Amino acid sequence: MPKEISFIVVVGSLMSGLGKGITSSSIGRILQGHGIKVVPIKFDGYLNVDCGTMNPFRHGEVFVLDDGTECDMDLGTYERFLNFDLKNENSMTGGKLFRHVIDKERKGGYLGYDVQIVPHLTNEIKKWVKKVGEDRDADVVLVEVGGTVGDLENGYFLEAMRQLALEEKVAFVQVTYVPTLDAVGEQKTKPTQHATRLLASLGIQPDVIVCRETEKLKAEARKKISMFCNVREEAIIDDADLATVYELPEQFEKQGLGKLLMDKLDLKSKGKDMAEWGKLVERIGKPRQELTIGITGKYTALKDSYVSIKEALVHAGAKLGCRATIKWIETTDIEDGKLKADDALAGCDGIIVPGGFGARGTEGKIECIRHARYHGLPYLGLCFGMQLAVVEYARNVCSLKDANSTEINEKTPHPVIDLLPEQKTVIDKGATMRLGGQDVEIKEGTIAHKIYGSVLVRERFRHRYEVNPDYIERIEAGGLVFSGRAPKSQIMQVMELPSHKFFMGTQFHPELSSRLERPHPLFVAFLEAAMKK
Ligand code: GLN
């Protein structure tokens, strides 16, 4: 008999930005803690097929899965909490769904019928969520519905979830916001009452209501929500502000959320515990050393653009017993002469130049890299940050005047960074970069080798440009070492400067595979160097 799969559907109400992804991930993590096999799906209503063409300034970081899927940053949260690799099927978008239905219609998949949102699209959704559960041999499929109740974009998806509950065991979790009015200091529940009513009008009654709030629910507010939203008091869960998001699973567990959901879905705890997780969370809260890490970028106005880097620093910090506070550095100000790199980096124990695209701010970044190299400041360059470190080295050490990446200046006399050969004929923008997990051969005896303790590793990529093979010899003759390469091609994937305390760059994004329970060794080594500064 096939295994019975049940479903938890997490729906947001009232407004976005309530941390629905973190709530869902925490629910997943507590169930895992009970030995229950969970697989997540994030639904996003937009008509983009994936996030690859979105501006991180508008939408937050583009996360990349091992299979090359460019997706919503919530998938990153799931991987960080649940500690296993997700796949394309775990990210469902309006674009993918409609494309699937339209392609199927053209092939005659609905021959004779007029194809409709209900039942054809909703059937495809139900099929999809069930299949993911089967493929992954899951006990529970955790479905997070992007957007908020009442949006046009996710209406058909909620309809599919309503229908799913007729066929399968489903628990609905509504995430809501309970504001406190400053003037009277009173928690207001009326917005939540209206939101639940809106959800009920779609045929969905929440089993659990998770309340985002600045302080824990007072008895009065809890009573009202219970009474008017038709949910038992013990199923109203607090989600007040926490020092670290990784505390949330324990906070939920303390309130009995795991048991509540397991009871609803007839699941039994297999009694695995979360002691290790708890220890790590404790270490985040009690660092022995405080550090300041500079991060450059043109998206510095929107911290969500670099969420994986922020989290990778937290993971490495938990391992080492330090806390890295980030100092965001707007490199356009350095480029425009409004700010000096020396001043911008004053007080920093290390600097990261993250991934990026386009010319704006790059000269400012290069100036920061020069400062780091010159002053022995630990440096970690991620993708674009590695490419720009090579540009800086070529210009200032290898005397290749005006060296550059052709992404920034097509007419540079020394194109030390250039388009990957296979990219030269690419026209489409969606999913056409060199994407996802690739092998990296690590050169024995290098710093990278010492850090990884291995000669072959797998890392995640997202780029179109590379170190120009024509310049490798010249740059290495100048002292920079390419310590990680693609196995069967000339692509340089790790760079290091042996004479420096820590000056490394990676063509890949190590931040994408760092997890609380598995911090990335490069981030650990970088912070270790920063601690010694
Ligand atoms: N723009 C660079 C490239 O396409 C770097 C990309 C990145 O940082 N992700 O190669």
Side-chain angles (χ1 to χ4, degrees):
M1 210 175 81
K3 177 164 161 186
E4 198 181 13
I5 301 169
S6 40
F7 298 80
I8 296 175
V9 179
V10 182
V11 180
S13 61
L14 287 180
M15 59 193 206
S16 62
L18 295 180
K20 215 170 349 108
I22 290 163
T23 299
S24 311
S25 302
S26 299
I27 290 175
R29 190 62 189 80
I30 55 181
L31 293 179
Q32 268 188 345
H34 285 283
I36 290 169
K37 199 159 176 205
V38 180
V39 58
I41 295 178
K42 169 84 195 284
F43 168 76
D44 281 297
Y46 43 72
L47 294 178
N48 304 61
V49 169
D50 59 42
C51 278
T53 54
M54 290 185 198
N55 181 346
F57 187 70
R58 281 179 55 88
H59 189 75
E61 174 185 86
V62 178
F63 196 77
V64 183
L65 302 178
D66 186 78
D67 70 3
T69 303
E70 296 172 289
C71 57
D72 189 272
M73 58 178 202
D74 279 333
L75 278 283
T77 310
Y78 286 114
E79 285 199 347
R80 286 189 283 273
F81 274 71
L82 303 180
N83 197 12
F84 67 89
D85 284 0
L86 299 178
K87 301 189 224 167
N88 189 299
E89 63 185 18
N90 299 104
S91 161
M92 190 195 291
T93 63
K96 275 187 204 170
L97 265 174
F98 279 98
R99 184 155 87 172
H100 173 71
V101 170
I102 292 168
D103 284 350
K104 189 166 162 184
E105 184 276 329
R106 290 290 82 187
K107 287 192 189 118
Y110 310 99
L111 220 48
Y113 288 92
D114 46 338
V115 183
Q116 295 181 307
I117 299 283
V118 182
H120 301 101
L121 191 71
T122 47
N123 282 350
E124 297 298 344
I125 293 171
K126 286 185 284 175
K127 231 191 266 170
W128 184 324
V129 297
K130 289 178 194 178
K131 186 169 180 304
V132 168
E134 281 159 22
D135 286 355
R136 287 288 180 117
D137 192 31
D139 300 308
V140 172
V141 179
L142 185 64
V143 184
E144 177 193 345
V145 187
T148 41
V149 182
D151 292 350
L152 207 51
E153 274 80 7
N154 60 23
Y156 60 85
F157 193 85
L158 288 173
E159 166 58 15
M161 295 300 103
R162 181 193 70 79
Q163 294 174 21
L164 185 72
L166 296 172
E167 302 166 15
E168 307 285 342
K169 281 188 187 144
V170 180
F172 287 101
V173 177
Q174 177 189 349
V175 181
T176 188
Y177 182 61
V178 181
T180 301
L181 272 192
D182 272 353
V184 277
E186 190 190 341
Q187 289 176 321
K188 297 309 236 179
T189 65
K190 198 56 73 70
T192 297
Q193 295 176 36
H194 284 299
T196 309
R197 213 167 290 159
L198 186 59
L199 193 57
S201 74
L202 302 175
I204 294 174
Q205 163 66 41
D207 298 288
V208 172
I209 298 186
V210 173
C211 300
R212 282 290 289 133
E213 64 232 335
T214 39
E215 52 181 299
K216 286 191 173 157
L217 276 188
K218 297 190 178 119
E220 187 70 12
R222 186 179 297 272
K223 265 206 188 72
K224 275 193 187 163
I225 295 176
S226 169
M227 173 70 99
F228 294 108
C229 300
N230 202 17
V231 171
R232 281 182 294 137
E233 276 195 39
E234 62 269 28
I236 298 168
I237 305 291
D238 273 309
D239 182 2
D241 293 342
L242 296 170
T244 155
V245 294
Y246 299 105
E247 245 180 79
L248 196 56
E250 290 173 310
Q251 289 296 329
F252 279 171
E253 199 54 336
K254 271 189 205 147
Q255 300 176 67
L257 180 55
K259 181 162 184 327
L260 221 102
L261 290 167
M262 287 188 293
D263 286 351
K264 164 81 191 170
L265 300 171
D266 292 327
L267 293 165
K268 294 251 165 333
S269 170
K270 292 176 195 135
K272 242 175 71 184
D273 74 309
M274 294 205 34
E276 278 309 306
W277 180 276
K279 272 185 213 149
L280 289 168
V281 172
E282 214 179 293
R283 289 175 71 97
I284 297 175
K286 292 196 193 104
R288 284 178 281 112
Q289 193 176 343
E290 297 280 353
L291 300 171
T292 303
I293 300 297
I295 302 185
T296 66
K298 65 179 176 184
Y299 304 127
T300 47
L302 190 74
K303 315 283 187 279
D304 271 357
S305 317
Y306 302 116
V307 60
S308 290
I309 298 175
K310 266 167 57 185
E311 296 307 322
L313 289 170
V314 172
H315 307 159
K319 182 177 167 96
L320 297 170
C322 65
R323 170 163 47 211
T325 301
I326 295 169
K327 180 175 179 188
W328 301 96
I329 297 162
E330 189 60 70
T331 46
T332 44
D333 288 346
I334 298 174
E335 198 163 274
D336 297 343
K338 284 187 220 147
L339 180 68
K340 278 205 171 78
D342 296 23
D343 294 332
L345 293 173
C348 287
D349 302 298
I351 163 175
I352 295 176
V353 173
F357 296 83
R360 211 168 70 88
T362 46
E363 287 304 323
K365 291 179 194 175
I366 291 171
E367 192 43 34
C368 289
I369 296 168
R370 192 199 59 79
H371 175 100
R373 185 177 55 77
Y374 201 78
H375 294 283
L377 188 64
Y379 175 73
L380 183 60
L382 307 172
C383 200
F384 205 37
M386 159 170 162
Q387 296 173 356
L388 294 181
V390 171
V391 169
E392 191 278 324
Y393 206 78
R395 283 184 192 173
N396 300 327
V397 180
C398 305
S399 313
L400 296 167
K401 197 169 171 292
D402 295 325
N404 216 330
S405 162
T406 51
E407 181 179 2
I408 300 158
N409 176 10
E410 266 182 81
K411 298 201 177 74
T412 168
H414 295 292
V416 290
I417 305 294
D418 198 10
L419 262 185
L420 284 156
E422 72 261 26
Q423 285 287 330
K424 296 197 169 144
T425 50
V426 169
I427 296 165
D428 283 357
K429 292 281 183 233
T432 54
M433 286 190 232
R434 180 170 181 255
L435 284 171
Q438 309 275 351
D439 287 341
V440 183
E441 247 172 32
I442 305 289
K443 195 170 167 183
E444 273 184 76
T446 59
I447 301 168
H449 184 236
K450 209 166 138 202
I451 291 172
Y452 278 112
S454 169
V455 290
L456 188 68
V457 295
R458 189 170 171 86
E459 294 284 359
R460 296 185 192 179
F461 291 76
R462 183 174 190 252
H463 65 125
R464 292 190 200 282
Y465 291 80
E466 63 162 343
V467 177
N468 184 343
D470 296 343
Y471 283 90
I472 293 170
E473 220 175 286
R474 212 150 150 197
I475 292 167
E476 285 208 310
L480 204 66
V481 172
F482 292 109
S483 48
R485 301 174 184 224
K488 282 185 209 77
S489 70
Q490 280 262 60
I491 304 173
M492 298 300 105
Q493 310 198 122
V494 186
M495 156 225 106
E496 62 188 58
L497 189 58
S499 57
H500 194 283
K501 235 179 280 163
F502 188 99
F503 191 86
M504 296 192 73
T506 60
Q507 186 57 77
F508 49 82
H509 292 273
E511 71 274 20
L512 298 178
S513 48
S514 175
R515 295 169 190 167
L516 182 60
E517 293 160 290
R518 193 191 73 186
H520 196 288
L522 277 168
F523 275 86
V524 174
F526 168 65
L527 281 192
E528 238 166 355
M531 285 170 90
K532 286 191 205 122
K533 194 199 145 234

